[in-house]
Amino acid sequence: SQQGEEDPQALSIQEGENATMNCSYKTSINNLQWYRQNSGRGLVHLILIRSNEREKHSGRLRVTLDTSKKSSSLLITASRAADTASYFCATDLDSSYKLIFGSGTRLLVRP
Amino acid sequence: DAMVIQNPRYQVTQFGKPVTLSCSQTLNHNVMYWYQQKSSQAPKLLFHYYDKDFNNEADTPDNFQSRRPNTSFCFLDIRSPGLGDAAMYLCATSRWQEETQYFGPGTRLLVL
């Protein structure tokens, strides 16, 4: 079953602009992660935010978590063409350490 | 560099012909996962191993089997591939009770 839904499904921006992706989930979580997937490749872990955290930063990435709304957002600032990829949120299921992935956002950064 | 390796990167098989995909890791992680990812969809967990303890997801078809002969290697066997099994198969690893998973590059399976 799919835990998360992501919005938008696709996003096209100009290099230098900021990109914001949103993730909503259904059940309570211990943490939420964001992964990036370049076309035809495996996933790369970007950032993890725990349920007792509201905001986290890593380089040009900013993640927020609102457990009351069961939603998270990923902001990529000053985007680059190399940021072109699909971005997935993932939540743990029943504290099992198994990940349930959202539907993903396809980001295109135009040079 | 420590990593997760998948071979082959591309696999073509015939309808009904058994196929095996392989995954190896140099991270010495005790948990290994197999995911199926169809085009433009989210990765879907098929099963995972904690050491040699096998854990199947409830909705994983019986057509899919797995073997883990040692810590480093894990195999995905598809006994009788159907057209609907064409997908990217992703292997991932993690340390037990750690949330972050490390993915291989995937094997893209085509069923003719």
Side-chain angles (χ1 to χ4, degrees), chain A residues 49-72:
Chain A
I49 186 165
R50 300 196 182 280
S51 59
N52 60 353
E53 297 176 307
R54 292 296 168 259
E55 188 171 311
K56 202 162 183 180
H57 296 255
S58 176
R60 293 184 296 113
L61 305 180
R62 173 178 168 254
V63 170
T64 62
L65 180 64
D66 187 335
T67 52
S68 66
K69 295 181 179 178
K70 292 187 170 59
S71 68
S72 174

Short mmCIF file of all heavy atoms in Angstrom, two decimals, chain A residues 49-72:
data_model
loop_
_atom_site.label_atom_id
_atom_site.label_comp_id
_atom_site.label_asym_id
_atom_site.label_seq_id
_atom_site.Cartn_x
_atom_site.Cartn_y
_atom_site.Cartn_z
N ILE A 49 14.07 13.42 8.82
CA ILE A 49 13.53 14.28 9.87
C ILE A 49 12.68 13.41 10.79
O ILE A 49 11.88 12.58 10.34
CB ILE A 49 12.73 15.47 9.28
CG1 ILE A 49 12.31 16.45 10.39
CG2 ILE A 49 11.54 15.01 8.45
CD1 ILE A 49 11.84 17.80 9.86
N ARG A 50 12.90 13.57 12.09
CA ARG A 50 12.18 12.75 13.06
C ARG A 50 10.86 13.41 13.45
O ARG A 50 10.69 14.62 13.27
CB ARG A 50 13.05 12.51 14.30
CG ARG A 50 14.34 11.80 13.96
CD ARG A 50 15.05 11.20 15.14
NE ARG A 50 16.30 10.58 14.72
CZ ARG A 50 16.37 9.38 14.16
NH1 ARG A 50 15.28 8.68 13.99
NH2 ARG A 50 17.53 8.88 13.81
N SER A 51 9.98 12.63 14.00
CA SER A 51 8.62 13.11 14.27
C SER A 51 8.60 14.24 15.30
O SER A 51 7.64 15.02 15.34
CB SER A 51 7.72 11.96 14.74
OG SER A 51 8.25 11.38 15.90
N ASN A 52 9.65 14.37 16.10
CA ASN A 52 9.68 15.44 17.11
C ASN A 52 10.44 16.67 16.60
O ASN A 52 10.68 17.60 17.36
CB ASN A 52 10.31 14.95 18.41
CG ASN A 52 11.73 14.48 18.23
OD1 ASN A 52 12.24 14.39 17.12
ND2 ASN A 52 12.38 14.16 19.34
N GLU A 53 10.80 16.65 15.32
CA GLU A 53 11.46 17.79 14.70
C GLU A 53 10.49 18.50 13.76
O GLU A 53 9.62 17.85 13.16
CB GLU A 53 12.71 17.34 13.92
CG GLU A 53 13.77 16.70 14.81
CD GLU A 53 14.94 16.16 14.00
OE1 GLU A 53 14.71 15.38 13.05
OE2 GLU A 53 16.09 16.51 14.34
N ARG A 54 10.67 19.78 13.60
CA ARG A 54 9.78 20.55 12.73
C ARG A 54 10.48 21.00 11.46
O ARG A 54 9.84 21.21 10.43
CB ARG A 54 9.23 21.76 13.49
CG ARG A 54 8.28 21.38 14.58
CD ARG A 54 7.03 20.71 14.02
NE ARG A 54 6.24 20.08 15.07
CZ ARG A 54 6.26 18.78 15.30
NH1 ARG A 54 7.02 17.97 14.57
NH2 ARG A 54 5.50 18.27 16.25
N GLU A 55 11.80 21.17 11.56
CA GLU A 55 12.53 21.67 10.40
C GLU A 55 13.97 21.15 10.48
O GLU A 55 14.53 20.99 11.56
CB GLU A 55 12.53 23.20 10.41
CG GLU A 55 13.10 23.85 9.18
CD GLU A 55 12.87 25.35 9.15
OE1 GLU A 55 11.71 25.77 9.39
OE2 GLU A 55 13.83 26.10 8.92
N LYS A 56 14.53 20.91 9.29
CA LYS A 56 15.90 20.44 9.23
C LYS A 56 16.54 20.96 7.95
O LYS A 56 15.88 21.07 6.91
CB LYS A 56 15.95 18.92 9.27
CG LYS A 56 17.26 18.35 9.75
CD LYS A 56 17.07 16.90 10.17
CE LYS A 56 18.36 16.35 10.71
NZ LYS A 56 18.21 14.94 11.12
N HIS A 57 17.84 21.26 8.04
CA HIS A 57 18.56 21.80 6.89
C HIS A 57 19.75 20.90 6.57
O HIS A 57 20.37 20.33 7.46
CB HIS A 57 19.07 23.21 7.19
CG HIS A 57 18.00 24.22 7.44
ND1 HIS A 57 17.66 25.18 6.51
CD2 HIS A 57 17.18 24.40 8.49
CE1 HIS A 57 16.68 25.92 7.00
NE2 HIS A 57 16.37 25.48 8.18
N SER A 58 20.06 20.83 5.28
CA SER A 58 21.28 20.16 4.85
C SER A 58 21.71 20.82 3.55
O SER A 58 21.11 20.59 2.50
CB SER A 58 21.04 18.67 4.64
OG SER A 58 22.20 18.04 4.14
N GLY A 59 22.73 21.65 3.62
CA GLY A 59 23.18 22.36 2.42
C GLY A 59 22.06 23.21 1.84
O GLY A 59 21.47 24.06 2.53
N ARG A 60 21.71 22.95 0.58
CA ARG A 60 20.64 23.71 -0.08
C ARG A 60 19.25 23.11 0.16
O ARG A 60 18.27 23.57 -0.41
CB ARG A 60 20.91 23.77 -1.59
CG ARG A 60 22.16 24.58 -1.96
CD ARG A 60 22.33 24.69 -3.48
NE ARG A 60 22.57 23.39 -4.10
CZ ARG A 60 21.72 22.79 -4.93
NH1 ARG A 60 20.56 23.36 -5.25
NH2 ARG A 60 22.03 21.62 -5.45
N LEU A 61 19.18 22.09 1.00
CA LEU A 61 17.92 21.43 1.27
C LEU A 61 17.34 21.90 2.59
O LEU A 61 18.06 22.06 3.58
CB LEU A 61 18.11 19.90 1.34
CG LEU A 61 18.76 19.22 0.16
CD1 LEU A 61 18.86 17.72 0.42
CD2 LEU A 61 18.01 19.49 -1.12
N ARG A 62 16.02 22.11 2.58
CA ARG A 62 15.31 22.42 3.82
C ARG A 62 14.06 21.55 3.85
O ARG A 62 13.28 21.55 2.91
CB ARG A 62 14.92 23.90 3.86
CG ARG A 62 14.03 24.28 5.04
CD ARG A 62 13.73 25.77 5.03
NE ARG A 62 12.66 26.10 5.97
CZ ARG A 62 11.41 26.41 5.63
NH1 ARG A 62 11.07 26.46 4.35
NH2 ARG A 62 10.51 26.71 6.55
N VAL A 63 13.91 20.82 4.92
CA VAL A 63 12.76 19.94 5.08
C VAL A 63 11.95 20.40 6.29
O VAL A 63 12.50 20.74 7.33
CB VAL A 63 13.20 18.48 5.29
CG1 VAL A 63 12.03 17.61 5.71
CG2 VAL A 63 13.83 17.93 4.02
N THR A 64 10.64 20.41 6.12
CA THR A 64 9.75 20.69 7.25
C THR A 64 8.82 19.50 7.45
O THR A 64 8.56 18.73 6.52
CB THR A 64 8.91 21.95 7.00
OG1 THR A 64 8.09 21.74 5.84
CG2 THR A 64 9.79 23.17 6.79
N LEU A 65 8.35 19.36 8.66
CA LEU A 65 7.43 18.28 9.00
C LEU A 65 6.33 18.83 9.90
O LEU A 65 6.61 19.48 10.90
CB LEU A 65 8.18 17.15 9.72
CG LEU A 65 7.33 15.94 10.15
CD1 LEU A 65 6.77 15.22 8.94
CD2 LEU A 65 8.17 14.99 11.00
N ASP A 66 5.10 18.57 9.50
CA ASP A 66 3.94 18.96 10.31
C ASP A 66 3.15 17.69 10.61
O ASP A 66 2.39 17.21 9.78
CB ASP A 66 3.08 19.97 9.53
CG ASP A 66 1.94 20.54 10.37
OD1 ASP A 66 1.51 19.87 11.33
OD2 ASP A 66 1.48 21.64 10.06
N THR A 67 3.37 17.15 11.80
CA THR A 67 2.73 15.88 12.13
C THR A 67 1.22 16.03 12.34
O THR A 67 0.47 15.07 12.15
CB THR A 67 3.36 15.25 13.38
OG1 THR A 67 3.36 16.21 14.43
CG2 THR A 67 4.79 14.80 13.10
N SER A 68 0.78 17.24 12.69
CA SER A 68 -0.67 17.43 12.87
C SER A 68 -1.40 17.37 11.53
O SER A 68 -2.53 16.91 11.46
CB SER A 68 -0.94 18.77 13.56
OG SER A 68 -0.56 19.85 12.72
N LYS A 69 -0.72 17.79 10.47
CA LYS A 69 -1.30 17.74 9.13
C LYS A 69 -0.83 16.53 8.36
O LYS A 69 -1.23 16.32 7.21
CB LYS A 69 -0.95 19.01 8.35
CG LYS A 69 -1.55 20.27 8.93
CD LYS A 69 -1.18 21.49 8.09
CE LYS A 69 -1.82 22.76 8.68
NZ LYS A 69 -1.43 23.96 7.90
N LYS A 70 0.06 15.73 8.97
CA LYS A 70 0.64 14.57 8.29
C LYS A 70 1.21 14.98 6.93
O LYS A 70 0.85 14.43 5.88
CB LYS A 70 -0.38 13.45 8.14
CG LYS A 70 -0.79 12.80 9.47
CD LYS A 70 -1.67 11.59 9.24
CE LYS A 70 -1.88 10.80 10.51
NZ LYS A 70 -2.51 11.56 11.59
N SER A 71 2.09 15.96 6.97
CA SER A 71 2.68 16.43 5.72
C SER A 71 4.11 16.90 5.95
O SER A 71 4.50 17.26 7.07
CB SER A 71 1.85 17.56 5.13
OG SER A 71 1.93 18.71 5.95
N SER A 72 4.86 16.89 4.87
CA SER A 72 6.24 17.34 4.87
C SER A 72 6.50 18.07 3.57
O SER A 72 5.83 17.82 2.55
CB SER A 72 7.19 16.14 4.99
OG SER A 72 8.55 16.54 4.87
#
